[in-house]
Amino acid sequence: MIASSELILNTDGSVYHLNLKPEHIADDIIFVGDQNRVEKISQHFSSIEFSKQKREFKTQTGIYKGKRITVMSTGIGPDNIDIVMNELDALVNIDLETREIKKELKSLNIIRIGTSGSLQEEIPCDSFVMSQYGLGLDNMLRSYLIDSFSETKMEDAFIKHTNWDVRKGRPYVIRASEKLEKRLESNSIFKGITGTAGGFYGPQGRVLRLGIQDAGLNSKMDQFVYNGIKMTNLEMETAAIYGLGKLLGHNCLSLNAIIANRALGTFSEDPYKAVDALIEYALDKLAE
């Protein structure tokens, strides 16, 4: 039995942070970072059966073209992903009354929809990027036993290419779900490696008043290629989602609307339109 100090439940029996019970979520779940983006997705539903918010975690479950889908805001960063992924898994794979792991485990389909800036000239504003790999710079996943899932050869190549300072911890690389990749891909989608940073400023190379350990890291990441696959973008969640998904047995995929091209110095003329187009694209693919 899992102790109450390890699996914390609210007085109504819901999981602690998400404030959800098993019946509240669908098997297909869309992650967004911003709680205000939840309703930008659920407005496309023909009906909404459930809505709940606690802290930054807002959840709505409804029907889109006959398909039951949950959309949830995770907030920002790998630490929040650690909470969301573990509590979602508890909802489907742990009996919350007996606190025992179920004999038959369920796999959820989790798709992250976000915005990002492209690192490559050939990936223009308003295009879509599918993260074929998540490259974690954040260290959160190193608290778990990931060696059997991580792409160690790609990690080694990245460490060598960037002259990575090992005092920051070893980067990890996790592949996306091939099942979801096939389900959501199309000829219009770019694929590549998405970097996941543990912060927004220094960890992503931004300098305000503080100097950073490697001022040239971003340009080195821009140039990183492994077996013909380039780094496409940098954000704060994808690799953590992929890693915990692999460990817990869930299918995970990350999609980003590109609203800026850093290589060209350009920005989308209508970033909201690009995000709306990606939302409709993902929903239609899930409903097929």
Side-chain angles (χ1 to χ4, degrees), residues 254-268:
S254 183
L255 301 173
N256 273 280
I258 297 301
I259 60 172
N261 185 298
R262 195 174 71 188
L264 296 175
T266 55
F267 192 82
S268 172

Side-chain angles (χ1 to χ4, degrees), residues 225-242:
V225 182
Y226 185 82
N227 287 345
I229 306 172
K230 297 180 180 181
M231 285 199 70
T232 51
N233 59 314
L234 184 63
E235 43 83 272
M236 294 179 64
E237 289 83 28
T238 293
I241 293 169
Y242 285 7

Side-chain angles (χ1 to χ4, degrees), residues 95-128:
D95 186 315
L96 300 185
E97 294 185 2
T98 65
R99 296 179 172 273
E100 299 284 351
I101 297 172
K102 296 179 179 179
K103 292 181 179 179
E104 294 186 13
L105 300 179
K106 175 182 282 191
S107 293
L108 299 169
N109 297 316
I110 297 169
I111 297 93
R112 180 181 185 273
I113 295 179
T115 57
S116 190
S118 167
L119 304 180
Q120 306 297 334
E121 289 185 6
E122 65 269 23
I123 302 177
C125 292
D126 305 323
S127 61
F128 303 156

